[in-house]
Amino acid sequence: MAAPLAHSLVSRPLFCDLLAHAPLDLERDVSLDRVRESKIRALTAVTDVGTALCTVTPLRLDQARSVVSTATSMAGALWQAAAPTTTPREFYAAEPGLAHAVVDVEPALTGVLDALLTGYAVQTARSLSDRPAPAAAAPRPGPGPPARRPDGAGAVTSAA
């Protein structure tokens, strides 16, 4: 699930670029009504994508929302670090001592998301193994011995 999610984000370069700018630039010097409206839309989208993730993974909704939030946050940050069309990227790539500064966004994002998803899977497995085993079912009452008369003289028989 990590690779398709990462690919979906990276295939939208303008979106990735804007992800980093939203909290830094686009939410400043605007009315609180605009910020509220924007945040509600964003959080609704996170919940919608998270809900979709829950249909194809064993994630709980809170975990799925965390995956989506992490994916978008990291996509924005990695996109800025990658600076794919900038002179600094070309410079970093040409300098052997700086080559590690060249970020390939999709594999980096896939790795982060894969680690997060794996961590949630381990966490879920642990929480399931920590649960007590279900109690054994109580034996079903069978016909048992015949009922005795109140005076103890013999079995009670039904009148036919």
mmCIF file with all atom_site columns, all heavy atoms in Angstrom, residues 6 17 21 28 32 39 43 49 55 59 69 76 92 94 98 105 122 150:
data_model
loop_
_atom_site.group_PDB
_atom_site.id
_atom_site.type_symbol
_atom_site.label_atom_id
_atom_site.label_alt_id
_atom_site.label_comp_id
_atom_site.label_asym_id
_atom_site.label_entity_id
_atom_site.label_seq_id
_atom_site.pdbx_PDB_ins_code
_atom_site.Cartn_x
_atom_site.Cartn_y
_atom_site.Cartn_z
_atom_site.occupancy
_atom_site.B_iso_or_equiv
_atom_site.pdbx_formal_charge
_atom_site.auth_seq_id
_atom_site.auth_comp_id
_atom_site.auth_asym_id
_atom_site.auth_atom_id
_atom_site.pdbx_PDB_model_num
ATOM 1   N N   . ALA A 1 6   ? 2.473   6.579   -2.265  1.00 0.00 ? 6   ALA A N   1
ATOM 2   C CA  . ALA A 1 6   ? 3.582   7.475   -2.590  1.00 0.00 ? 6   ALA A CA  1
ATOM 3   C C   . ALA A 1 6   ? 3.516   7.903   -4.053  1.00 0.00 ? 6   ALA A C   1
ATOM 4   O O   . ALA A 1 6   ? 3.673   9.084   -4.369  1.00 0.00 ? 6   ALA A O   1
ATOM 5   C CB  . ALA A 1 6   ? 4.916   6.789   -2.296  1.00 0.00 ? 6   ALA A CB  1
ATOM 6   N N   . ASP A 1 17  ? 4.321   20.406  -4.040  1.00 0.00 ? 17  ASP A N   1
ATOM 7   C CA  . ASP A 1 17  ? 4.943   21.705  -3.775  1.00 0.00 ? 17  ASP A CA  1
ATOM 8   C C   . ASP A 1 17  ? 4.075   22.536  -2.837  1.00 0.00 ? 17  ASP A C   1
ATOM 9   O O   . ASP A 1 17  ? 4.569   23.154  -1.897  1.00 0.00 ? 17  ASP A O   1
ATOM 10  C CB  . ASP A 1 17  ? 5.188   22.439  -5.091  1.00 0.00 ? 17  ASP A CB  1
ATOM 11  C CG  . ASP A 1 17  ? 6.147   23.605  -4.934  1.00 0.00 ? 17  ASP A CG  1
ATOM 12  O OD1 . ASP A 1 17  ? 7.045   23.535  -4.072  1.00 0.00 ? 17  ASP A OD1 1
ATOM 13  O OD2 . ASP A 1 17  ? 5.990   24.585  -5.678  1.00 0.00 ? 17  ASP A OD2 1
ATOM 14  N N   . HIS A 1 21  ? 3.852   24.582  1.429   1.00 0.00 ? 21  HIS A N   1
ATOM 15  C CA  . HIS A 1 21  ? 3.544   26.008  1.513   1.00 0.00 ? 21  HIS A CA  1
ATOM 16  C C   . HIS A 1 21  ? 2.267   26.317  2.273   1.00 0.00 ? 21  HIS A C   1
ATOM 17  O O   . HIS A 1 21  ? 2.121   27.428  2.791   1.00 0.00 ? 21  HIS A O   1
ATOM 18  C CB  . HIS A 1 21  ? 3.463   26.612  0.105   1.00 0.00 ? 21  HIS A CB  1
ATOM 19  C CG  . HIS A 1 21  ? 4.787   26.694  -0.567  1.00 0.00 ? 21  HIS A CG  1
ATOM 20  N ND1 . HIS A 1 21  ? 5.742   27.628  -0.230  1.00 0.00 ? 21  HIS A ND1 1
ATOM 21  C CD2 . HIS A 1 21  ? 5.328   25.926  -1.544  1.00 0.00 ? 21  HIS A CD2 1
ATOM 22  C CE1 . HIS A 1 21  ? 6.811   27.446  -0.968  1.00 0.00 ? 21  HIS A CE1 1
ATOM 23  N NE2 . HIS A 1 21  ? 6.595   26.414  -1.770  1.00 0.00 ? 21  HIS A NE2 1
ATOM 24  N N   . ARG A 1 28  ? -1.300  32.161  6.316   1.00 0.00 ? 28  ARG A N   1
ATOM 25  C CA  . ARG A 1 28  ? -0.925  33.395  7.029   1.00 0.00 ? 28  ARG A CA  1
ATOM 26  C C   . ARG A 1 28  ? -1.572  34.578  6.333   1.00 0.00 ? 28  ARG A C   1
ATOM 27  O O   . ARG A 1 28  ? -1.796  34.582  5.133   1.00 0.00 ? 28  ARG A O   1
ATOM 28  C CB  . ARG A 1 28  ? 0.590   33.549  7.039   1.00 0.00 ? 28  ARG A CB  1
ATOM 29  C CG  . ARG A 1 28  ? 1.246   32.283  7.580   1.00 0.00 ? 28  ARG A CG  1
ATOM 30  C CD  . ARG A 1 28  ? 2.495   32.586  8.311   1.00 0.00 ? 28  ARG A CD  1
ATOM 31  N NE  . ARG A 1 28  ? 3.205   31.358  8.621   1.00 0.00 ? 28  ARG A NE  1
ATOM 32  C CZ  . ARG A 1 28  ? 3.232   30.818  9.828   1.00 0.00 ? 28  ARG A CZ  1
ATOM 33  N NH1 . ARG A 1 28  ? 2.593   31.378  10.813  1.00 0.00 ? 28  ARG A NH1 1
ATOM 34  N NH2 . ARG A 1 28  ? 3.908   29.732  10.039  1.00 0.00 ? 28  ARG A NH2 1
ATOM 35  N N   . LEU A 1 32  ? -9.552  34.041  9.709   1.00 0.00 ? 32  LEU A N   1
ATOM 36  C CA  . LEU A 1 32  ? -9.723  32.770  10.407  1.00 0.00 ? 32  LEU A CA  1
ATOM 37  C C   . LEU A 1 32  ? -10.829 31.937  9.769   1.00 0.00 ? 32  LEU A C   1
ATOM 38  O O   . LEU A 1 32  ? -10.771 30.705  9.795   1.00 0.00 ? 32  LEU A O   1
ATOM 39  C CB  . LEU A 1 32  ? -10.015 33.011  11.886  1.00 0.00 ? 32  LEU A CB  1
ATOM 40  C CG  . LEU A 1 32  ? -8.853  33.597  12.690  1.00 0.00 ? 32  LEU A CG  1
ATOM 41  C CD1 . LEU A 1 32  ? -9.264  33.817  14.142  1.00 0.00 ? 32  LEU A CD1 1
ATOM 42  C CD2 . LEU A 1 32  ? -7.629  32.703  12.611  1.00 0.00 ? 32  LEU A CD2 1
ATOM 43  N N   . LYS A 1 39  ? -9.024  24.103  6.566   1.00 0.00 ? 39  LYS A N   1
ATOM 44  C CA  . LYS A 1 39  ? -8.681  22.969  7.435   1.00 0.00 ? 39  LYS A CA  1
ATOM 45  C C   . LYS A 1 39  ? -9.793  21.921  7.443   1.00 0.00 ? 39  LYS A C   1
ATOM 46  O O   . LYS A 1 39  ? -9.522  20.722  7.434   1.00 0.00 ? 39  LYS A O   1
ATOM 47  C CB  . LYS A 1 39  ? -8.415  23.437  8.871   1.00 0.00 ? 39  LYS A CB  1
ATOM 48  C CG  . LYS A 1 39  ? -7.055  24.037  9.053   1.00 0.00 ? 39  LYS A CG  1
ATOM 49  C CD  . LYS A 1 39  ? -5.988  22.997  8.844   1.00 0.00 ? 39  LYS A CD  1
ATOM 50  C CE  . LYS A 1 39  ? -4.624  23.596  9.069   1.00 0.00 ? 39  LYS A CE  1
ATOM 51  N NZ  . LYS A 1 39  ? -3.559  22.730  8.607   1.00 0.00 ? 39  LYS A NZ  1
ATOM 52  N N   . LEU A 1 43  ? -9.087  18.170  6.399   1.00 0.00 ? 43  LEU A N   1
ATOM 53  C CA  . LEU A 1 43  ? -9.314  17.067  7.331   1.00 0.00 ? 43  LEU A CA  1
ATOM 54  C C   . LEU A 1 43  ? -10.398 16.112  6.834   1.00 0.00 ? 43  LEU A C   1
ATOM 55  O O   . LEU A 1 43  ? -10.326 14.906  7.070   1.00 0.00 ? 43  LEU A O   1
ATOM 56  C CB  . LEU A 1 43  ? -9.655  17.611  8.722   1.00 0.00 ? 43  LEU A CB  1
ATOM 57  C CG  . LEU A 1 43  ? -8.502  18.356  9.403   1.00 0.00 ? 43  LEU A CG  1
ATOM 58  C CD1 . LEU A 1 43  ? -8.974  19.005  10.696  1.00 0.00 ? 43  LEU A CD1 1
ATOM 59  C CD2 . LEU A 1 43  ? -7.319  17.441  9.644   1.00 0.00 ? 43  LEU A CD2 1
ATOM 60  N N   . VAL A 1 49  ? -9.803  9.616   2.552   1.00 0.00 ? 49  VAL A N   1
ATOM 61  C CA  . VAL A 1 49  ? -8.740  8.723   2.076   1.00 0.00 ? 49  VAL A CA  1
ATOM 62  C C   . VAL A 1 49  ? -8.448  7.665   3.137   1.00 0.00 ? 49  VAL A C   1
ATOM 63  O O   . VAL A 1 49  ? -8.246  6.489   2.821   1.00 0.00 ? 49  VAL A O   1
ATOM 64  C CB  . VAL A 1 49  ? -7.472  9.514   1.690   1.00 0.00 ? 49  VAL A CB  1
ATOM 65  C CG1 . VAL A 1 49  ? -6.334  8.574   1.312   1.00 0.00 ? 49  VAL A CG1 1
ATOM 66  C CG2 . VAL A 1 49  ? -7.769  10.475  0.544   1.00 0.00 ? 49  VAL A CG2 1
ATOM 67  N N   . THR A 1 55  ? -10.568 0.056   3.946   1.00 0.00 ? 55  THR A N   1
ATOM 68  C CA  . THR A 1 55  ? -11.251 -1.005  3.191   1.00 0.00 ? 55  THR A CA  1
ATOM 69  C C   . THR A 1 55  ? -10.267 -1.975  2.541   1.00 0.00 ? 55  THR A C   1
ATOM 70  O O   . THR A 1 55  ? -10.667 -3.072  2.161   1.00 0.00 ? 55  THR A O   1
ATOM 71  C CB  . THR A 1 55  ? -12.183 -0.424  2.102   1.00 0.00 ? 55  THR A CB  1
ATOM 72  O OG1 . THR A 1 55  ? -11.397 0.246   1.119   1.00 0.00 ? 55  THR A OG1 1
ATOM 73  C CG2 . THR A 1 55  ? -13.217 0.517   2.697   1.00 0.00 ? 55  THR A CG2 1
ATOM 74  N N   . LEU A 1 59  ? -5.953  -1.503  8.877   1.00 0.00 ? 59  LEU A N   1
ATOM 75  C CA  . LEU A 1 59  ? -5.788  -0.323  9.718   1.00 0.00 ? 59  LEU A CA  1
ATOM 76  C C   . LEU A 1 59  ? -7.099  0.110   10.364  1.00 0.00 ? 59  LEU A C   1
ATOM 77  O O   . LEU A 1 59  ? -8.163  0.005   9.763   1.00 0.00 ? 59  LEU A O   1
ATOM 78  C CB  . LEU A 1 59  ? -5.266  0.855   8.887   1.00 0.00 ? 59  LEU A CB  1
ATOM 79  C CG  . LEU A 1 59  ? -3.871  0.736   8.291   1.00 0.00 ? 59  LEU A CG  1
ATOM 80  C CD1 . LEU A 1 59  ? -3.606  1.896   7.347   1.00 0.00 ? 59  LEU A CD1 1
ATOM 81  C CD2 . LEU A 1 59  ? -2.822  0.688   9.389   1.00 0.00 ? 59  LEU A CD2 1
ATOM 82  N N   . SER A 1 69  ? -1.886  11.594  6.807   1.00 0.00 ? 69  SER A N   1
ATOM 83  C CA  . SER A 1 69  ? -1.243  12.832  7.275   1.00 0.00 ? 69  SER A CA  1
ATOM 84  C C   . SER A 1 69  ? 0.271   12.754  7.143   1.00 0.00 ? 69  SER A C   1
ATOM 85  O O   . SER A 1 69  ? 0.917   13.725  6.722   1.00 0.00 ? 69  SER A O   1
ATOM 86  C CB  . SER A 1 69  ? -1.630  13.111  8.732   1.00 0.00 ? 69  SER A CB  1
ATOM 87  O OG  . SER A 1 69  ? -3.004  13.349  8.829   1.00 0.00 ? 69  SER A OG  1
ATOM 88  N N   . GLY A 1 76  ? 5.352   16.744  1.062   1.00 0.00 ? 76  GLY A N   1
ATOM 89  C CA  . GLY A 1 76  ? 5.674   18.169  0.972   1.00 0.00 ? 76  GLY A CA  1
ATOM 90  C C   . GLY A 1 76  ? 7.107   18.466  1.367   1.00 0.00 ? 76  GLY A C   1
ATOM 91  O O   . GLY A 1 76  ? 7.822   19.201  0.670   1.00 0.00 ? 76  GLY A O   1
ATOM 92  N N   . TYR A 1 92  ? 24.212  19.757  -6.220  1.00 0.00 ? 92  TYR A N   1
ATOM 93  C CA  . TYR A 1 92  ? 24.384  18.651  -5.276  1.00 0.00 ? 92  TYR A CA  1
ATOM 94  C C   . TYR A 1 92  ? 24.771  17.370  -6.013  1.00 0.00 ? 92  TYR A C   1
ATOM 95  O O   . TYR A 1 92  ? 25.638  16.617  -5.563  1.00 0.00 ? 92  TYR A O   1
ATOM 96  C CB  . TYR A 1 92  ? 23.112  18.381  -4.477  1.00 0.00 ? 92  TYR A CB  1
ATOM 97  C CG  . TYR A 1 92  ? 22.647  19.523  -3.605  1.00 0.00 ? 92  TYR A CG  1
ATOM 98  C CD1 . TYR A 1 92  ? 21.297  19.673  -3.315  1.00 0.00 ? 92  TYR A CD1 1
ATOM 99  C CD2 . TYR A 1 92  ? 23.532  20.444  -3.060  1.00 0.00 ? 92  TYR A CD2 1
ATOM 100 C CE1 . TYR A 1 92  ? 20.847  20.705  -2.511  1.00 0.00 ? 92  TYR A CE1 1
ATOM 101 C CE2 . TYR A 1 92  ? 23.091  21.487  -2.255  1.00 0.00 ? 92  TYR A CE2 1
ATOM 102 C CZ  . TYR A 1 92  ? 21.746  21.607  -1.981  1.00 0.00 ? 92  TYR A CZ  1
ATOM 103 O OH  . TYR A 1 92  ? 21.300  22.624  -1.197  1.00 0.00 ? 92  TYR A OH  1
ATOM 104 N N   . ALA A 1 94  ? 26.326  17.069  -8.782  1.00 0.00 ? 94  ALA A N   1
ATOM 105 C CA  . ALA A 1 94  ? 27.654  17.166  -9.385  1.00 0.00 ? 94  ALA A CA  1
ATOM 106 C C   . ALA A 1 94  ? 28.778  17.115  -8.345  1.00 0.00 ? 94  ALA A C   1
ATOM 107 O O   . ALA A 1 94  ? 29.911  16.806  -8.682  1.00 0.00 ? 94  ALA A O   1
ATOM 108 C CB  . ALA A 1 94  ? 27.763  18.455  -10.199 1.00 0.00 ? 94  ALA A CB  1
ATOM 109 N N   . LEU A 1 98  ? 28.262  16.137  -1.721  1.00 0.00 ? 98  LEU A N   1
ATOM 110 C CA  . LEU A 1 98  ? 26.884  16.577  -1.493  1.00 0.00 ? 98  LEU A CA  1
ATOM 111 C C   . LEU A 1 98  ? 25.844  15.687  -2.175  1.00 0.00 ? 98  LEU A C   1
ATOM 112 O O   . LEU A 1 98  ? 24.650  15.941  -2.080  1.00 0.00 ? 98  LEU A O   1
ATOM 113 C CB  . LEU A 1 98  ? 26.711  18.019  -1.987  1.00 0.00 ? 98  LEU A CB  1
ATOM 114 C CG  . LEU A 1 98  ? 27.598  19.062  -1.321  1.00 0.00 ? 98  LEU A CG  1
ATOM 115 C CD1 . LEU A 1 98  ? 27.411  20.417  -1.971  1.00 0.00 ? 98  LEU A CD1 1
ATOM 116 C CD2 . LEU A 1 98  ? 27.291  19.139  0.171   1.00 0.00 ? 98  LEU A CD2 1
ATOM 117 N N   . VAL A 1 105 ? 12.229  11.483  -4.322  1.00 0.00 ? 105 VAL A N   1
ATOM 118 C CA  . VAL A 1 105 ? 11.049  11.570  -3.470  1.00 0.00 ? 105 VAL A CA  1
ATOM 119 C C   . VAL A 1 105 ? 10.269  10.261  -3.377  1.00 0.00 ? 105 VAL A C   1
ATOM 120 O O   . VAL A 1 105 ? 9.938   9.807   -2.277  1.00 0.00 ? 105 VAL A O   1
ATOM 121 C CB  . VAL A 1 105 ? 10.116  12.715  -3.922  1.00 0.00 ? 105 VAL A CB  1
ATOM 122 C CG1 . VAL A 1 105 ? 8.875   12.794  -3.047  1.00 0.00 ? 105 VAL A CG1 1
ATOM 123 C CG2 . VAL A 1 105 ? 10.857  14.043  -3.901  1.00 0.00 ? 105 VAL A CG2 1
ATOM 124 N N   . VAL A 1 122 ? 2.573   -4.458  13.254  1.00 0.00 ? 122 VAL A N   1
ATOM 125 C CA  . VAL A 1 122 ? 3.180   -5.076  14.437  1.00 0.00 ? 122 VAL A CA  1
ATOM 126 C C   . VAL A 1 122 ? 2.394   -4.675  15.680  1.00 0.00 ? 122 VAL A C   1
ATOM 127 O O   . VAL A 1 122 ? 2.094   -5.514  16.538  1.00 0.00 ? 122 VAL A O   1
ATOM 128 C CB  . VAL A 1 122 ? 4.667   -4.685  14.560  1.00 0.00 ? 122 VAL A CB  1
ATOM 129 C CG1 . VAL A 1 122 ? 5.239   -5.070  15.918  1.00 0.00 ? 122 VAL A CG1 1
ATOM 130 C CG2 . VAL A 1 122 ? 5.472   -5.307  13.438  1.00 0.00 ? 122 VAL A CG2 1
ATOM 131 N N   . PRO A 1 150 ? -40.779 -34.582 45.326  1.00 0.00 ? 150 PRO A N   1
ATOM 132 C CA  . PRO A 1 150 ? -40.409 -33.866 46.558  1.00 0.00 ? 150 PRO A CA  1
ATOM 133 C C   . PRO A 1 150 ? -40.203 -34.791 47.755  1.00 0.00 ? 150 PRO A C   1
ATOM 134 O O   . PRO A 1 150 ? -39.395 -34.506 48.612  1.00 0.00 ? 150 PRO A O   1
ATOM 135 C CB  . PRO A 1 150 ? -41.566 -32.914 46.796  1.00 0.00 ? 150 PRO A CB  1
ATOM 136 C CG  . PRO A 1 150 ? -42.242 -32.788 45.476  1.00 0.00 ? 150 PRO A CG  1
ATOM 137 C CD  . PRO A 1 150 ? -41.953 -34.058 44.723  1.00 0.00 ? 150 PRO A CD  1
#
